[in-house]
Amino acid sequence: QGPARILDLNKGLLAEGYDGDVALVDLEQPFTVDPEEFAGKSRNTPFKGMTLTGRVKATVCGGRVVFNEL
């Protein structure tokens, strides 16, 4: 909230008049990092092949669903 407040941006809260940026995460789902699945062009990561826990299932940016794996 602090940086958004300083820059006078409607960010950092889930409230009327704010942008509604949210990420829905399954905190228990394990997954293996595969750089070939990255959305961007870069494939550099020190986590390649590691099994991690907690997978993003959906993302809302500016009140619009921009990623949905539900």
Side-chain angles (χ1 to χ4, degrees):
Q1 279 182 324
R5 186 175 32 242
I6 291 168
L7 296 171
D8 196 31
L9 300 174
N10 288 339
K11 306 275 184 189
L13 287 176
L14 287 177
E16 187 174 339
Y18 286 78
D19 286 346
D21 298 341
V22 177
L24 301 177
V25 181
D26 180 342
L27 297 175
E28 297 180 5
Q29 182 179 354
F31 70 100
T32 301
V33 178
D34 179 359
E36 296 303 316
E37 294 180 0
F38 289 0
K41 292 181 181 180
S42 176
R43 302 292 181 244
N44 299 327
T45 178
F47 303 105
K48 180 180 179 180
M50 290 180 71
T51 299
L52 305 175
T53 304
R55 185 144 184 123
V56 174
K57 303 304 278 184
T59 305
V60 179
C61 184
R64 288 186 13 231
V65 176
V66 294
F67 173 75
N68 188 355
E69 195 179 87
L70 295 174

